[in-house]
Amino acid sequence: MATVLEREKLRVRPTGAALAADVEGVDLSGSLSPELRAAIKKAWGDHLVLRFRGQSLSDDDLMRFSREFGELDWAPIAATNDAPEGREYVMVVSNVVENGQPIGQLGNYEALWHTDMSYVDEPPMASALYSLEAPPSGGDTGFCNMYLALETLPADLRRAVEGKTCVHDASRNSAGELRRGYVDAPDASQTVGAVHPIVRTHPETGCKALFLGRRRSAYIQGLALADSEALLNALWAHATKDEFTWYQQWRAGDLILWDNRCVMHRRDAFDPATRRVMHRTQIKGDRPY
Ligand code: SIN
């Protein structure tokens, strides 16, 4: 059922899937009143992913909106281009090539399930992705509810991950491209990246979520490589079941805000002959515990 905040005409419409809601009746190009900010925060806590349609935002608007929820974080280490001066907080996600140079990251490929920058010690707690141009089809972004993934984890898997930590590979991005300055480890037990608990506690809700980060080259510390692979395969097969997911079909002017502490995301590939231009900000987070 939609929630209506009379003064601001804000409506929150849950998607009916395992997560996500549309937030309507709000123009994000101006600053938010404290009442509106609190209502958006509440909706975000309830639904984990929020979609705001029909927005018209500059990078400054996107950064100001993101700052309503915390301090901005730097964009990830690029596989291709650098952020222009003054735009270190805005990552361009795009397949568009101008004058022979890609204007952004991730091309038109599939991006595998992941949590943004889980390979650093203090990954961003949230990300906001704003669509300037959307392809006519493809390039949908999927989100997955990691509270639910943990709650429904079979008892043997729950026992197997209790107290375990996982190494999150820093070397490749979610489209599989090697980041500048990195080489591939000989096997997953030698992966370079941050070490995090597999079950993490959300610092605001106190609820526990499965925290897998990224599958490629992940390694569960203290296990033989083959056992780590088998356990990770079982965890990933469970966590990414359709019943825990919701997919965003992009239109220009959509802004999606998601909580990296309890949500993973992925992206479908799309036709390289079509254009997709998104701008992304990230909000600083704490060390997972
Ligand atoms: C990302 O992983 O942040 C990119 C998602 C997308 O392009 O939809």
Side-chain angles (χ1 to χ4, degrees):
M1 187 202 288
T3 312
V4 184
L5 199 76
E6 266 319 315
R7 237 189 80 210
E8 304 279 7
K9 305 282 185 252
L10 181 95
R11 283 178 185 76
V12 179
R13 293 188 196 279
T15 59
L19 71 171
D22 273 300
V23 180
E24 299 165 355
V26 55
D27 174 2
L28 301 178
S29 66
S31 32
L32 302 180
S33 67
E35 186 188 16
L36 193 51
R37 181 184 167 281
I40 291 173
K41 254 204 119 173
K42 162 85 173 66
W44 193 26
D46 290 345
H47 301 288
L48 322 185
V49 176
L50 296 182
R51 175 170 65 187
F52 305 82
R53 296 211 115 145
Q55 302 296 320
S56 178
L57 305 180
S58 65
D59 281 348
D60 286 337
D61 294 335
L62 178 60
M63 288 191 284
R64 187 185 53 248
F65 171 72
S66 307
R67 280 196 184 100
E68 298 279 357
F69 307 98
E71 205 182 323
L72 289 183
D73 207 353
W74 283 59
I77 298 168
T80 50
N81 59 343
D82 284 317
E85 182 90 21
R87 284 290 175 275
E88 295 88 352
Y89 297 116
V90 178
M91 173 182 171
V92 178
V93 177
S94 184
N95 64 320
V96 173
V97 175
E98 279 173 5
N99 303 320
Q101 291 295 318
I103 65 163
Q105 307 291 313
L106 300 183
N108 70 303
Y109 324 116
E110 176 184 4
L112 301 173
W113 284 112
H114 67 284
T115 302
D116 286 331
M117 292 179 69
S118 69
Y119 51 84
V120 302
D121 287 341
E122 296 185 349
M125 61 111 146
S127 306
L129 189 61
Y130 174 64
S131 163
L132 288 95
E133 293 182 59
S137 65
D140 298 353
T141 306
F143 296 91
C144 177
N145 182 334
M146 300 302 277
Y147 289 137
L148 256 185
L150 182 68
E151 272 167 41
T152 56
L153 199 61
D156 58 329
L157 290 181
R158 186 72 171 86
R159 274 194 303 276
V161 297
E162 203 56 59
K164 291 277 193 310
T165 52
C166 185
V167 186
H168 295 234
D169 177 32
S171 67
R172 287 183 179 266
N173 68 17
S174 53
E177 299 162 322
L178 200 61
R179 295 180 205 278
R180 278 174 301 168
Y182 283 88
V183 293
D184 282 321
D187 69 55
S189 68
Q190 294 177 61
T191 290
V192 172
V195 175
H196 297 303
I198 296 178
V199 177
R200 72 179 291 184
T201 306
H202 194 292
E204 288 177 46
T205 64
C207 297
K208 290 191 187 302
L210 199 57
F211 187 48
L212 298 179
R214 50 202 60 232
R215 175 64 186 91
R216 185 190 294 271
S217 301
Y219 173 63
I220 301 179
Q221 290 187 311
L223 297 189
L225 182 55
D227 294 340
S228 166
E229 290 291 306
L231 181 50
L232 284 167
N233 286 342
L235 293 170
W236 278 90
H238 173 79
T240 57
K241 283 181 182 162
D242 288 348
E243 66 225 56
F244 306 139
T245 68
W246 169 78
Y247 274 79
Q248 150 73 348
Q249 292 178 323
W250 290 96
R251 297 180 196 159
D254 285 353
L255 172 72
I256 297 261
L257 175 70
W258 69 86
D259 187 332
N260 283 310
R261 299 165 294 188
C262 51
V263 170
M264 288 199 302
H265 60 284
R266 65 171 294 280
R267 180 188 83 186
D268 291 334
F270 57 98
D271 180 351
T274 60
R275 289 170 63 98
R276 188 179 190 269
V277 183
M278 312 265 157
H279 284 193
R280 193 179 92 182
T281 50
Q282 301 180 151
I283 304 167
K284 277 191 178 168
D286 303 325
R287 181 184 271 272
Y289 61 92

